[in-house]
Amino acid sequence: MTLELIPSADRRTITAQSTAKCSLTPTDPVTTSLYITNAPSTGELMVAEMVPQVPGQLALDGEEQDHPKILKFKRQA
């Protein structure tokens, strides 16, 4: 699997593109957008997947927007 992180020009968002590789057939990459923010309680930097609407907001079809997934990165020594 290959994971490519591409920062935006203003360094506020990151586009993440992952590709699963196998020896039989190539696959299409999966792309998502991420944003860098601070955890409200600790102020620690974190990365969250962007969602189409504000979390908790109702769409026209009545579905509520879920909270974004938070990614945790570990530092390597």
Side-chain angles (χ1 to χ4, degrees):
M1 175 175 246
T2 302
L3 178 64
E4 185 176 357
L5 302 174
I6 307 162
S8 64
D10 63 2
R11 304 284 187 193
R12 290 181 178 243
T13 62
I14 301 170
T15 299
Q17 185 172 9
S18 63
T19 305
K21 295 181 181 181
C22 65
S23 60
L24 298 175
T25 59
T27 59
D28 293 330
V30 176
T31 303
T32 189
S33 294
L34 308 171
Y35 66 94
I36 303 166
T37 187
N38 292 344
S41 57
T42 63
E44 182 181 20
L45 286 177
M46 60 185 205
V47 177
E49 185 175 18
M50 295 181 91
V51 292
Q53 298 184 45
V54 176
Q57 184 174 354
L58 293 177
L60 292 175
D61 62 2
E63 289 189 29
E64 185 176 332
Q65 177 64 55
D66 292 331
H67 287 277
K69 293 178 174 55
I70 305 298
L71 302 175
K72 295 182 181 181
F73 291 96
K74 294 183 179 181
R75 290 185 183 210
Q76 291 182 339

